[in-house]
Amino acid sequence: MKEMDIERDIIINSYYVIDYFNQNGESITNLKLQKLMYFMEGLYMVLTDEDYLFEQEFFAWNLGPVCKELYDYYKECGNENIELTEEKRKKIINFPNINKVFVEVLFKVFSGWSAYELVELTHEQGSPWYHIKNNIEEESNQIVSKKETKIWLREKIKVEK
């Protein structure tokens, strides 16, 4: 797979996730989006055996893994459903097919899950977030390891390497 065949920016990917979920009757808040993007990257890493999807990192915050850039981008939405503007929709017209596939997988796995059910999943004993949570404050600069996320999810969904 060539590097140009995939979109690695989490903001652009979030546009497609929001649009796809909204088009299929699911609302997306900032909290739910954070967890969906974390799991999207995890599913991508497990199913492709790659080391990352997004250029950005996730940090160990109180409610689970958070990408600061993504959080800041959508924080004005609060707990409300995020809806895309036409300008943002235009940015995903040529969204790469490989990314679309992983959004579809994400939807199949997590449609119907609430933001707090996703938070609970990230908080499970043995998760990468769980390993570092005991030593963090509400916001943390401690990175949730992509490698550990991949290992944890591979075991969780029983995908052979």
Side-chain angles (χ1 to χ4, degrees):
M1 174 181 335
K2 296 180 302 209
E3 186 69 27
M4 70 177 84
D5 292 337
I6 193 157
E7 175 60 61
R8 294 200 180 273
D9 184 86
I10 199 168
I11 301 295
I12 300 297
N13 276 274
S14 75
Y15 294 163
Y16 195 82
V17 168
I18 292 164
D19 191 57
Y20 192 89
F21 274 69
N22 284 177
Q23 294 294 327
N24 286 284
E26 296 243 356
S27 44
I28 301 285
T29 61
N30 193 357
L31 179 60
K32 186 171 181 175
L33 182 63
Q34 289 289 334
K35 303 314 157 236
L36 288 173
M37 300 310 288
Y38 174 72
F39 286 117
M40 181 177 169
E41 180 171 61
L43 289 169
Y44 173 84
M45 292 186 302
V46 168
L47 297 174
T48 65
D49 202 32
E50 296 287 327
D51 294 330
Y52 72 101
L53 171 57
F54 303 127
E55 299 164 347
Q56 296 87 352
E57 299 288 352
F58 286 88
F59 296 87
W61 283 17
N62 196 38
L63 292 177
V66 170
C67 173
K68 290 179 186 179
E69 183 178 335
L70 189 67
Y71 174 82
D72 289 342
Y73 191 82
Y74 290 107
K75 70 181 172 186
E76 75 277 351
C77 297
N79 292 327
E80 300 297 317
N81 182 47
I82 301 170
E83 294 183 21
L84 295 185
T85 62
E86 279 307 310
E87 181 181 318
K88 290 175 183 172
R89 273 198 188 88
K90 287 178 184 174
K91 293 183 179 186
I92 55 172
I93 288 174
N94 295 314
F95 196 62
N97 286 334
I98 186 71
N99 293 75
K100 288 179 182 179
V101 167
F102 284 96
V103 173
E104 291 165 14
V105 169
L106 185 73
F107 184 80
K108 285 178 185 170
V109 173
F110 292 113
S111 65
W113 287 57
S114 72
Y116 289 100
E117 289 170 322
L118 293 169
V119 167
E120 286 177 14
L121 183 55
T122 67
H123 283 49
E124 279 189 355
Q125 186 171 357
S127 75
W129 177 90
Y130 183 87
H131 288 301
I132 56 179
K133 172 56 180 129
N134 294 334
N135 301 317
I136 64 172
E137 299 299 323
E138 180 139 345
E139 291 187 16
S140 169
N141 289 323
Q142 190 154 357
I143 294 171
V144 177
S145 165
K146 291 178 188 275
K147 182 178 181 180
E148 287 182 31
T149 296
K150 181 179 174 182
I151 292 167
W152 174 65
L153 281 178
R154 179 179 286 128
E155 176 59 31
K156 189 137 198 70
I157 59 179
K158 306 295 187 235
V159 171
E160 295 298 318
K161 187 173 180 183

